[in-house]
Amino acid sequence: MRASIAFLAWAMTADAAYLDKRQAVTTITITSTAVPDYFQTSPELFPGPTATSVPPFLAESNPAPFGPSNTFVANAPLETGEPIMGDITNTSIFSLMGNLSPYFPNPSGFGVQEYPLPLGANISQVHMISRHGSRYPTTNSSVYKFGTSLASAIKKGAYNFTEDLSFLNSWNYKLGAEILVPIGRQELFDSGVLHQYQYGALYNPNTKIIARTTSQDRIIKSGENFLSGFFGLSWSANATLEVIIEQNGFNDSLAGYDNCNNSNTYVSAGGSNASATWENIYLQNATKRLSAMAGGYNWTLSDTYNAQTICPYETVALGYSAFCDLFTFEEWQGFEYSIDLSFAGGSMFQSPTGRAVGIGFVQETLAILQHHLVTDANTQDNVTLDGTSSTFPLNQTLYFSFSHDTNIASVLTAFGLTQFAQFLPTTGPPANQQMIVSHMEPFGARLDIEIISAPQPVAANRTTSANTYINGPATKYVHFLLNQRTVPLGASFAACGKRTDGWCELTTFMGIQNGSLATAQYDYSCNGNYPSVPYGSLSNGVPQST
């Protein structure tokens, strides 16, 4: 029998103009039927022995890393090994697809090494915000329109595609819309299993935690698959999945753009504009090459970009796409950078609403760490839910939330992680680029925030095992991990110091974050009347000063 889901929300008054990131209202009917005993799997009638071991706590007990061959290996049911022209490094193009990359841990890290927990220290709390798994394209997106339009033209039989495009003569658009594909379910299940190994011992089996999700099908299903991986198929005995409506007019920190009007208008189009400028540079040769094979079809630069975009979508949905090897390795590097530009100017530090869209989740996290409810309606936080401990508990050791890629990018911005504020020019990638979307927001991406208690201050230099601690009182730390790699807080906040482990003392971090709400300028960023400025004019995730 399907687990029941709490469906709660608080409506806010707002004009319902069409906004690209907002979704159409859907109605879900849940039914339940009795089944004969011989079809019954829950509760089990003759289960046999069911003893289990103590829960794992690998995040505390793991002495790794053991060198460059860290065990960052994902299951691989997809065909991703097609040869790509110009690839001399044996690098998978599926790690160059920005937010459309199937999940993989950041291969190069964010500038620091990973360190085991010092003897005597312990992790007391974890806050995770996760993106959904791999999915079909968004309804009415450019790639959807490209696919359906191309399929319609092919059916008319008026064109004869040749050479590398000859497969199009019998091609048809077969993709669904928005919901998880099979590998997307696996990505979140695997993430739940990983988190069980990492943090399972933090769960008190005598309690039932609340996890949170938006109301979109792919987000709910991502939460359910994650909880199945973490707890098992009977996860509803251990957790309740709280559903926050993701629609225009409802407050939801996990879809912070819904009540941030300016994030969905032309004033936030800098990222799209920057990406289009770069596309017109890196896809010139590809467009000429493919147009010559199009057999009379009016193949445009926009078609070329959409053909690249359909490659990851077809691959995660169908297992293979013939569009993938139409492009050179350098053109796939260009594709990654086009998405980096889009995120920089649309959701992060070059966007006027970059901080505002993510500030709600930041304020919720800080409230839990300070042990108080959220009762002030000064962001997109749902104060009806966040204002009561039955729906916003303050005593959990594990907090799991399920969200979207752009929302998590804005959460990183709202926290003020200026390591990712580097300006990205529209002429090509800069040296030592920090903000690479495939390393930050692939499908199934997750940000884990660990709260660590140590019996004494931990030495800032962890390069040797000697003298791990220095003299002083018990100290708490915060540790950010994005896709299994440490984000060094000292790179963004000088007050955290240049620690080799990337941690920050919790009191220092909280002092820094006390100003995050004011810095985000939530009401003005989201609802103010300010002009659109060219991409590159902004650098702090808020509108230009007047």
Side-chain angles (χ1 to χ4, degrees):
M1 186 179 298
R2 192 172 187 78
S4 61
I5 299 176
F7 206 114
L8 307 166
W10 178 248
M12 300 291 289
T13 58
D15 293 332
Y18 173 78
L19 299 173
D20 186 48
K21 296 175 183 173
R22 299 174 181 175
Q23 306 298 314
V25 177
T26 56
T27 302
I28 300 174
T29 302
I30 300 176
T31 60
S32 176
T33 58
V35 297
D37 290 351
Y38 42 81
F39 286 140
Q40 181 174 311
T41 59
S42 179
E44 298 166 335
L45 300 179
F46 301 96
T50 58
T52 188
S53 70
V54 298
F57 208 168
L58 195 60
E60 277 198 3
S61 62
N62 191 0
F66 300 112
S69 59
N70 291 308
T71 55
F72 297 146
V73 179
N75 291 339
L78 308 178
E79 179 51 72
T80 59
E82 50 265 65
I84 301 298
M85 185 185 308
D87 180 9
I88 60 175
T89 62
N90 198 30
T91 300
S92 172
I93 61 170
F94 290 88
S95 65
L96 298 172
M97 295 180 177
N99 61 324
L100 303 183
S101 291
Y103 179 75
F104 68 104
N106 180 341
S108 55
F110 294 104
V112 292
Q113 297 298 316
E114 308 302 320
Y115 288 89
L117 210 63
L119 185 65
N122 64 83
I123 298 171
S124 58
Q125 196 173 72
V126 170
H127 299 254
M128 181 204 74
I129 182 170
S130 172
R131 187 191 179 194
H132 57 77
S134 296
R135 62 168 174 87
Y136 295 114
T138 305
T139 305
N140 292 324
S141 63
S142 59
V143 70
Y144 167 83
K145 293 175 182 177
F146 165 75
T148 54
S149 175
L150 180 60
S152 177
I154 291 169
K155 286 182 180 179
K156 294 177 182 178
Y159 308 102
N160 181 30
F161 295 93
T162 61
E163 299 180 62
D164 290 346
L165 289 184
S166 60
F167 74 93
L168 288 177
N169 292 316
S170 58
W171 179 84
N172 195 14
Y173 185 76
K174 301 176 181 179
L175 302 181
E178 308 205 18
I179 63 173
L180 295 181
V181 296
I183 190 68
R185 299 194 298 269
Q186 180 185 329
E187 286 165 336
L188 269 292
F189 183 88
D190 287 350
S191 179
V193 172
L194 172 68
H195 281 78
Q196 169 60 224
Y197 276 104
Q198 291 291 93
Y199 306 115
L202 281 176
Y203 174 67
N204 180 350
N206 297 316
T207 63
K208 189 173 184 179
I209 66 170
I210 287 179
R212 305 187 308 157
T213 175
T214 83
S215 60
Q216 282 197 0
D217 181 83
R218 66 179 179 269
I219 314 295
I220 293 176
K221 295 297 193 301
S222 292
E224 292 176 328
N225 278 281
F226 176 93
L227 293 171
S228 294
F230 191 92
F231 291 113
L233 297 180
S234 299
W235 62 265
S236 60
N238 310 101
T240 297
L241 194 54
E242 180 178 286
V243 180
I244 310 170
I245 291 178
E246 181 180 345
Q247 292 291 341
N248 181 24
F250 293 88
N251 275 4
D252 185 350
S253 64
L254 303 180
Y257 41 73
D258 265 341
N259 263 1
C260 187
N261 290 325
N262 285 335
S263 72
N264 300 279
T265 66
Y266 69 96
V267 299
S268 292
S272 298
N273 295 337
S275 182
T277 300
W278 170 241
E279 291 161 28
N280 198 50
I281 295 173
Y282 89 91
L283 284 178
Q284 285 293 327
N285 290 339
T287 301
K288 292 177 183 177
R289 188 171 68 245
L290 296 176
S291 179
M293 307 174 190
Y297 182 83
N298 182 28
W299 189 278
T300 66
L301 188 140
S302 178
D303 292 328
T304 304
Y305 190 74
N306 285 318
Q308 270 197 299
T309 307
I310 208 170
C311 157
Y313 278 123
E314 278 198 334
T315 300
V316 298
L318 306 175
Y320 168 75
S321 173
F323 286 95
C324 297
D325 60 4
L326 294 178
F327 302 93
T328 67
F329 188 76
E330 184 179 8
E331 287 161 355
W332 280 114
Q333 290 175 312
F335 182 76
E336 167 70 55
Y337 192 62
S338 75
I339 296 176
D340 299 341
L341 287 166
S342 179
F343 268 66
S347 301
M348 298 193 73
F349 286 94
Q350 279 76 54
S351 165
T353 56
R355 286 182 182 261
V357 168
I359 193 61
F361 181 84
V362 171
Q363 292 301 296
E364 289 172 332
T365 303
L366 299 178
I368 293 169
L369 293 175
Q370 294 169 331
H371 208 73
H372 68 78
L373 299 171
V374 178
T375 56
D376 295 329
N378 51 13
T379 69
Q380 63 276 83
D381 286 337
N382 187 316
V383 294
T384 296
L385 299 180
D386 291 359
T388 175
S389 59
S390 62
T391 47
F392 191 74
L394 302 175
N395 59 349
Q396 294 183 179
T397 51
L398 293 167
Y399 288 89
F400 299 140
S401 298
F402 303 92
S403 182
H404 297 271
D405 50 357
T406 55
N407 200 78
I408 299 173
S410 289
V411 166
L412 298 171
T413 307
F415 269 121
L417 299 182
T418 55
Q419 175 178 356
F420 305 118
Q422 176 188 24
F423 173 67
L424 304 182
T426 57
T427 53
N432 193 31
Q433 183 180 339
Q434 297 293 305
M435 202 283 281
I436 301 173
V437 174
S438 62
H439 293 181
M440 300 169 67
E441 301 299 335
F443 285 124
R446 72 292 304 247
L447 171 67
D448 291 303
I449 303 173
E450 297 177 347
I451 305 302
I452 299 170
S453 299
Q456 293 175 274
V458 178
N461 186 350
R462 298 279 303 281
T463 56
T464 64
S465 58
N467 302 319
T468 298
Y469 291 108
I470 60 177
N471 292 331
T475 306
K476 288 189 175 182
Y477 296 89
V478 59
H479 179 206
F480 274 51
L481 295 116
L482 184 59
N483 302 329
Q484 302 173 242
R485 300 303 292 263
T486 294
V487 178
L489 296 176
S492 299
F493 311 119
C496 293
K498 295 183 178 180
R499 299 185 57 91
T500 56
D501 55 18
W503 301 1
C504 185
E505 289 191 15
L506 183 59
T507 54
T508 300
F509 179 79
M510 296 300 290
I512 295 167
Q513 295 302 322
N514 282 340
S516 59
L517 178 59
T519 302
Q521 303 177 40
Y522 175 78
D523 187 50
Y524 182 62
S525 293
C526 290
N527 305 306
N529 182 17
Y530 51 84
S532 173
V533 296
Y535 170 79
S537 302
L538 307 177
S539 60
N540 197 32
V542 295
Q544 198 169 55
S545 299
T546 56

